[in-house]
Amino acid sequence: MKLQHCISVEQFGPQLLSDIFRETDHMVRVLKDGGNFVLRGKVMVTFFYEPSTRTRLSFEAAMNRLGGRVLSTDHASSFSSAAKGEDISDSIRTTASYADIIVLRSAEEGHARVAAEVSVNALTGEPVPVVNAGDGKGEHPTQALLDAYTIRQRFGRLDGLTVALVGDLKHGRTVHSLAKLLAAVHGPGAPGTLLLVAPPAFQMPEDVLACVESRGEGRVRVEMIDFEEAVRRADVLYMTRLQKERFGKTDAAAVPAYRLEARHLGEMKSEAIVLHPLPRNEEIAREVDSDGYRAWYFRQAAYGVPVRMALIRILLGA
Ligand code: NCD
């Protein structure tokens, strides 16, 4: 299994996904033993131009658990040379000579792809893997990998399921990646359904829908429905927050008001679960947390570590 960079979920089809998940299953066991040292001597840079709790710390935890080391810039817009006017290409070109792998979170869609093009160690001429840890409202491929792994842990499969994406589908990069990733997992005998729940001003972008259609090859049905119906029909109810930091002037007026409350839980299908990439605002009432059968979002965040361990190891070919 060879992977040079991780930029978009469009890189991942069913075979690669199942290889990554097999490696993740292994990493779950490695973690139970506290980790190992397969990446001893390797260095990761985490370059974060936008706020993060889970993504950065779980990448760093993953690298540490495999015996590697981490250099971190977590306020890169103000504490890196970006504050002195350096562009992303020069920053990455430099960093690529300091590390074996670069994890980048940027506010600009497309930055991860630009970074991958220039990520070469200046002394050895070797390419250095870049991982997209979120590029503006573009993609968040590693989140989609851990979302999909979580779903597989619950249902034992990904195909044939009904997944509802709820909230700010326009600006949310996690839902862009998850929709595209899941589009490719359905077999001919097990078509899947994607339920989209968002007000008109916050709908899934056309380019994402086009990608879902082409990757789905007729095996994924997409429906736009209301929240109450999604609660009843979904196997996976994927809630998201409003991405207010990405709002334009007209968005604030059209704020959607979806909120999952304890009263909804009894209406869900018998095995259905609630996911959320976190951080949460008002869209899941705290009372839902105590339903351990349905509320899977903290478990989902926990899978971020073994999934990222697996991905790092594959990228480093270790
Ligand atoms: C998400 C992100 O940064 O896109 N957070 C995360 O990485 N788990 C979701 C969000 O910020 O709403």
Side-chain angles (χ1 to χ4, degrees):
M1 177 183 9
K2 184 85 189 98
L3 198 60
Q4 180 61 59
H5 302 284
C6 173
I7 305 302
S8 160
V9 291
E10 291 177 49
Q11 297 172 254
F12 301 113
Q15 186 56 53
L16 188 50
L17 208 51
S18 102
D19 291 346
I20 292 172
F21 289 171
R22 192 170 337 104
E23 183 69 15
T24 305
D25 291 340
H26 167 67
M27 292 303 180
V28 168
R29 293 190 291 274
V30 168
L31 266 178
K32 282 209 178 97
D33 295 336
N36 63 26
F37 293 95
V38 294
L39 296 186
R40 193 202 310 256
K42 299 285 186 190
V43 175
M44 165 186 280
V45 164
T46 52
F47 227 124
F48 275 58
Y49 290 84
E50 275 194 343
S52 170
T53 299
R54 277 150 288 270
T55 305
R56 184 171 65 82
L57 293 179
S58 63
F59 263 112
E60 295 183 0
M63 192 63 178
N64 279 294
R65 294 288 186 188
L66 293 173
R69 290 186 221 179
V70 179
L71 307 175
S72 187
T73 299
D74 66 349
H75 282 65
S77 49
S78 47
F79 290 166
S80 77
S81 284
K84 302 182 194 168
E86 183 168 69
D87 72 5
I88 188 83
S89 301
D90 286 356
S91 296
I92 295 297
R93 196 174 282 235
T94 307
T95 311
S97 303
Y98 301 160
D100 301 294
I101 181 168
I102 298 172
V103 179
L104 174 69
R105 168 166 288 188
S106 153
E108 297 294 324
E109 193 170 347
H111 260 177
R113 207 171 289 281
V114 171
E117 278 162 19
V118 298
S119 184
V120 174
N121 183 307
L123 299 182
T124 65
E126 292 293 324
V128 174
V130 171
V131 182
N132 181 2
D135 62 331
K137 61 178 169 44
E139 276 219 37
H140 195 347
T142 64
Q143 178 71 41
L145 289 176
L146 75 92
D147 296 341
Y149 186 78
T150 307
I151 295 169
R152 174 182 166 277
Q153 291 303 93
R154 171 63 157 216
F155 295 96
R157 67 195 160 93
L158 292 175
D159 59 334
L161 296 173
T162 297
V163 176
L165 305 179
V166 181
D168 186 351
L169 307 186
K170 177 180 171 189
H171 304 103
R173 56 195 170 200
T174 68
V175 286
H176 300 165
S177 287
L178 187 57
K180 292 194 218 178
L181 184 70
L182 292 181
V185 301
H186 305 293
T193 305
L194 197 58
L195 304 175
L196 303 179
V197 183
F202 291 81
Q203 282 294 339
M204 193 64 98
E206 286 300 325
D207 62 310
V208 178
L209 291 174
C211 179
V212 167
E213 195 180 327
S214 76
R215 279 168 63 86
E217 295 177 345
R219 294 179 201 142
V220 51
R221 198 166 39 238
V222 178
E223 293 179 50
M224 289 156 198
I225 61 168
D226 69 33
F227 180 56
E228 304 287 331
E229 189 182 343
V231 167
R232 289 192 299 273
R233 287 180 53 196
D235 297 305
V236 176
L237 192 63
Y238 191 97
M239 305 295 294
T240 64
R241 76 179 171 92
L242 296 173
Q243 309 281 303
K244 288 191 176 142
E245 68 274 33
R246 304 194 207 291
F247 275 17
K249 281 207 176 64
T250 52
D251 290 329
V255 166
Y258 303 117
R259 182 171 160 85
L260 186 73
E261 294 176 346
R263 70 185 167 85
H264 291 113
L265 299 176
E267 296 169 26
M268 294 175 71
K269 283 160 79 172
S270 59
E271 290 200 327
I273 50 169
V274 181
L275 298 185
H276 193 308
L278 303 175
R280 143 174 69 180
N281 293 158
E282 306 302 325
E283 57 285 343
I284 301 179
R286 305 252 155 207
E287 64 205 21
V288 173
D289 299 1
S290 53
D291 185 335
Y293 183 75
R294 302 250 186 238
W296 268 49
Y297 28 94
F298 288 106
R299 183 187 303 231
Q300 175 188 4
Y303 284 135
V305 177
V307 167
R308 289 175 170 126
M309 288 166 76
L311 185 72
I312 295 165
R313 181 165 179 202
I314 292 166
L315 285 164
L316 290 176

